[in-house]
Amino acid sequence: MLKWISIEALALVISLTINGQSHSFTNAPTVSEMLTHLELAARRIAVERNGEIIPRSQFDTTTLNADDHVEIVVAVGGG
Amino acid sequence: MTHQPLLIAGKPYGSRLLVGTGKYVDFEQTRLAIEASGAEIVTVAIRRTNIGQELGQPNLLDFISPSRYTLLPNTAGCYSAEDAVRTLRLARELLDGHKLVKLEVLGDPKTLFPNMVETIIAAKTLVADGFDVMVYCSDDPIIAKQLEELGCVAVMPLASLIGSGMGILNPWNLSIIIDNARVPVIVDAGVGTASDAAIAMELGCAGVLMNTAIAQAQHPALMASAMKKAVEAGREAFLAGRMPKKPYQASPSSPASGLIS
């Protein structure tokens, strides 16, 4: 019988697909937390989740869910 | 005849040369070439960011400032209307609600010829969604007119294949498109050197959009300067109205009388 569970074991590890690659997070992050984790917080980027754009104004309040497909894009050279 | 600015979606631009930002060695070379071109409208592409490799890496927009240039996000690499619309909605978010976009939907990876069926579907969706759509298209006068009628703010027929540098291959089709158009006609793709740009402008194009001709020149900034002058020269020649061609009929420029004998 299980008598003791560590706090760490209660934390939920979720997986997100970001730009086609799988990334694991401890607990569901907000968009801002995800960007900070990926060291992209200060970049000029745009974010889409499951085909829907997430406005920058909602980065702090939008929580990502397990198995979300996230796209993060930048402007690059092109003609 | 006075110089008029290029009007796109109601906004005036002093330069009729539009340039891309691809294929340069680095962002500094990009910046120098674009400055030398005098262009005010500058195209950019939208791509996935490199996760884990971006930290400390320079960003194109640090060199090509959105406050100085009118950025024209494109849909290069999109092969369906759905992908093109999705890309431009992301671009609008990226550029803080910016509406002016370049739509291109490709149909074939070898020739990069546009898929005009998908392009028209995407154009309708984007116009309904409030975008100002400048559209890359084939040099078919009927298609060009349809794109104008569905609300595109500029039609941009190819002069020859993207990145080919083959120049103006069908001036007659371009002339028909220009004669019928009520929106700016901008040659997009195929220009290889300054004379090509001048020819496009002499035909009556409202502007020329190019990337490879500048970026792949041995000296991009110098070619950018040449293109700026060619577009201006071609425009002035168009406004001036060229003399008629008179095949096999020489006409001396000096007086025929008063010759010493």
Side-chain angles (χ1 to χ4, degrees):
Chain A
M1 191 161 119
L2 194 60
K3 289 184 175 177
W4 182 83
I5 300 170
S6 74
I7 295 297
E8 286 76 14
L10 284 170
L12 186 65
V13 175
I14 70 153
S15 176
L16 302 175
T17 302
I18 305 172
N19 288 359
Q21 293 180 323
S22 183
H23 291 259
S24 293
F25 290 83
T26 306
N27 292 322
T30 63
V31 176
S32 292
E33 287 164 353
M34 173 194 69
L35 293 173
T36 300
H37 177 78
L38 299 174
E39 300 180 326
L40 292 171
R43 312 292 293 189
R44 187 187 269 267
I45 46 99
V47 178
E48 184 189 73
R49 183 251 302 262
N50 301 333
E52 297 289 328
I53 287 171
I54 302 174
R56 202 168 302 146
S57 60
Q58 295 173 20
F59 282 2
D60 285 341
T61 54
T62 303
T63 302
L64 297 163
N65 301 315
D67 301 324
D68 275 352
H69 282 253
V70 177
E71 294 287 338
I72 307 173
V73 300
V74 289
V76 301
Chain B
M1 215 149 162
T2 54
H3 285 280
Q4 300 289 329
L6 170 61
L7 267 183
I8 298 176
K11 191 179 170 194
Y13 299 91
S15 171
R16 291 174 179 273
L17 174 57
L18 296 74
V19 296
T21 52
K23 299 183 181 172
Y24 287 96
V25 172
D26 56 30
F27 289 146
E28 181 62 9
Q29 189 187 52
T30 314
R31 183 182 72 79
L32 291 170
I34 287 166
E35 279 186 11
S37 77
E40 294 163 43
I41 300 176
V42 176
T43 62
V44 299
I46 305 297
R47 289 290 182 275
R48 283 174 165 175
T49 184
N50 292 317
I51 290 168
Q53 299 162 33
E54 282 279 319
L55 192 65
Q57 289 295 308
N59 184 308
L60 174 66
L61 300 186
D62 297 334
F63 289 79
I64 308 298
S65 165
S67 59
R68 175 169 176 185
Y69 297 101
T70 297
L71 295 185
L72 187 65
N74 70 23
T75 60
C78 290
Y79 283 82
S80 69
E82 185 185 355
D83 283 349
V85 169
R86 188 178 171 197
T87 298
L88 291 178
R89 284 180 175 151
L90 277 164
R92 180 167 61 183
E93 176 62 23
L94 182 70
L95 299 173
D96 303 320
H98 177 84
K99 292 198 304 177
L100 188 68
V101 295
K102 169 179 163 177
L103 171 65
E104 63 177 286
V105 184
L106 302 176
D108 172 39
K110 186 176 179 194
T111 62
L112 301 180
F113 227 85
N115 179 332
M116 292 317 304
V117 175
E118 289 291 309
T119 300
I120 286 174
I121 293 168
K124 283 179 181 167
T125 304
L126 291 166
V127 169
D129 201 7
F131 285 93
D132 291 332
V133 180
M134 303 174 70
V135 57
Y136 171 64
C137 56
S138 56
D139 63 357
D140 179 328
I142 308 303
I143 293 282
K145 194 65 187 172
Q146 287 176 345
L147 290 166
E148 172 188 312
E149 287 170 348
L150 69 82
C152 292
V153 299
V155 293
M156 305 201 292
L158 51 79
S160 48
L161 301 182
I162 292 173
S164 72
M166 292 171 71
I168 314 291
L169 294 189
N170 195 337
W172 304 104
N173 272 28
L174 291 177
S175 289
I176 296 169
I177 293 170
I178 292 162
D179 287 348
N180 291 336
R182 289 193 301 263
V183 295
V185 176
I186 294 170
V187 154
D188 179 4
V191 164
T193 188
S195 52
D196 297 334
I199 289 168
M201 295 307 292
E202 287 170 13
L203 289 171
C205 286
V208 181
L209 195 164
M210 66 181 73
N211 189 150
T212 311
I214 296 174
Q216 301 283 282
Q218 294 298 306
H219 302 285
L222 189 57
M223 184 58 89
S225 170
M227 291 298 187
K228 176 186 180 186
K229 291 166 185 164
V231 167
E232 289 171 358
R235 179 67 181 172
E236 289 188 358
F238 169 72
L239 294 173
R242 63 153 296 150
M243 61 163 282
K245 285 185 182 175
K246 292 178 282 190
Y248 308 114
Q249 291 180 48
S251 167
S253 298
S254 306
S257 61
L259 293 163
I260 54 169
S261 57

